[in-house]
Amino acid sequence: MILDDFIAYNINGLYCRYADFYLDPPQPVDNAVISHAHADHAIAGNHNVYATEATLAFMELRYGNKKAKVSYTVPYHTPFKIGEVQLTFIPAGHMPGSAQILMEYKGVSYLYTGDYKLQPDDTCEPIEWVKADVLITETTFADPSTQHPDPVKEIQKLNDIKINILLGAYSLGKSQRLVSMINKYAPHKTVLVHHRIMPINAVYKKLGYDIGAHQVYNRKLMKEQKEYVYIVPPFTFDSYIRATGVKRLFASGWKNLQANAQDTLFISDHVDWNDILEAVKQVQPQQIWTLHGDGRQLKEYFKNDIFVKIIG
């Protein structure tokens, strides 16, 4: 029997009361199961942290010894237990080490997706599918009108821009994906990277990912028009709002983060509407629970076919 309260929000975050652990808690707790290393899912100060090797490596870079009092490195596909609940990490395709979390308790399976994507990405493990009775999915872009374009065609837009490009992107995950794609699909461009992104790139290399040719930014270089692409984190991108001699672009799935209407770069690391429908097809759940967005359109779409519960 599916337990309606198996996973629910309390004051500390998304909680499993049957084994006393949290999924991606927003504040420190005793037992945290972390799906991936982005800061809105992985914070410092938890006591016990269960995560993949890559997730813990990025947390170590960001938080040092404050990443957890006790860290448990768990490989993909390796079941482990917290209390009476068995958990297994399944690749989520979002960034290196990102995991869907399969939870099994009293004969019922619950699959928490965390952030996930279906698009191919050479800089992380591809998503894998498992069956589950309950699919607990993010709904960041759960709108039929939202369909992410082909990321290859998006990155190829850079080939038509003949001046230097200032490219805004989140430092962890998106920047490395962009370096890789530019090397592959706009190979005549020279990629420059903000100094704060370089340590993250070093972790990628240590994990076995070759993201392609790039060099740390040098102010003298950008004074010449040699079709450089300078990748910077959001705070730097915003500070260069009056930059001259460059085309400003921000790589994101969000329309409001595009720098201008004429030149857009829609590259998302989240699922869109069709991707969520594919996830439902692959997981074959009896119920769908939604998080991190608006699940109302999914509820309307499935109506009486699959029960949809909006929990956050």
Side-chain angles (χ1 to χ4, degrees), residues 49-264:
V49 165
Y50 302 82
T52 62
E53 177 187 9
T55 294
L56 289 171
F58 292 123
M59 291 179 70
E60 176 76 23
L61 176 66
R62 181 182 291 125
Y63 303 128
N65 59 13
K66 294 182 180 179
K67 74 177 187 297
K69 287 195 168 91
V70 183
S71 300
Y72 296 94
T73 303
V74 184
Y76 291 123
H77 312 116
T78 303
F80 63 101
K81 275 198 166 185
I82 303 177
E84 295 302 312
V85 175
Q86 178 174 285
L87 302 94
T88 309
F89 289 147
I90 309 296
H94 181 62
M95 62 170 289
S98 63
Q100 304 172 80
I101 301 167
L102 178 66
M103 299 163 284
E104 298 171 271
Y105 181 67
K106 293 190 174 180
V108 179
S109 54
Y110 307 79
L111 182 66
Y112 169 72
T113 65
D115 292 346
Y116 65 118
K117 75 172 182 290
L118 277 59
Q119 292 179 347
D121 182 351
D122 292 339
T123 64
C124 71
E125 307 87 356
I127 191 168
E128 295 181 19
W129 300 112
V130 294
K131 303 292 190 292
D133 300 305
V134 178
L135 173 64
I136 308 169
T137 179
E138 62 133 312
T139 51
T140 305
F141 294 105
D143 185 326
S145 66
T146 301
Q147 296 185 19
H148 298 320
D150 180 351
V152 172
K153 291 181 179 179
E154 289 296 293
I155 209 72
Q156 286 174 335
K157 291 178 180 178
L158 302 184
N159 291 315
D160 298 326
I161 301 173
K162 301 306 179 183
I163 64 171
N164 294 341
I165 297 168
L166 182 69
L167 180 53
Y170 292 113
S171 298
L172 174 55
K174 182 64 66 64
S175 291
Q176 294 73 31
R177 186 183 181 195
L178 291 172
V179 173
S180 176
M181 293 185 71
I182 293 168
N183 272 277
K184 192 170 184 178
Y185 300 109
H188 65 285
K189 302 287 186 182
T190 299
V191 182
L192 309 178
V193 175
H194 190 273
H195 69 92
R196 293 198 179 184
I197 297 175
M198 291 298 285
I200 300 172
N201 294 0
V203 175
Y204 269 71
K205 184 176 181 180
K206 187 176 180 180
L207 292 169
Y209 289 99
D210 179 5
I211 64 173
H214 62 283
Q215 59 185 288
V216 69
Y217 166 73
N218 181 314
R219 184 178 296 180
K220 293 180 181 179
L221 293 176
M222 287 288 280
K223 290 182 179 179
E224 300 182 83
Q225 288 293 342
K226 292 188 176 180
E227 296 196 40
Y228 292 115
V229 180
Y230 177 26
I231 300 176
V232 300
F235 68 89
T236 303
F237 184 79
D238 292 340
S239 71
Y240 286 163
I241 192 168
R242 292 184 176 86
T244 59
V246 297
K247 174 69 71 175
R248 296 176 77 252
L249 298 170
F250 197 94
S252 173
W254 292 102
K255 290 182 180 180
N256 64 307
L257 293 182
Q258 300 301 314
N260 54 75
Q262 292 74 34
D263 301 284
T264 58

Side-chain angles (χ1 to χ4, degrees), residues 285-288 299-308:
Q286 299 176 39
Q287 296 186 14
I288 302 168
K299 192 177 183 71
E300 174 63 23
Y301 179 84
F302 285 106
K303 293 183 179 177
N304 298 323
D305 294 332
I306 303 177
F307 173 76
V308 177

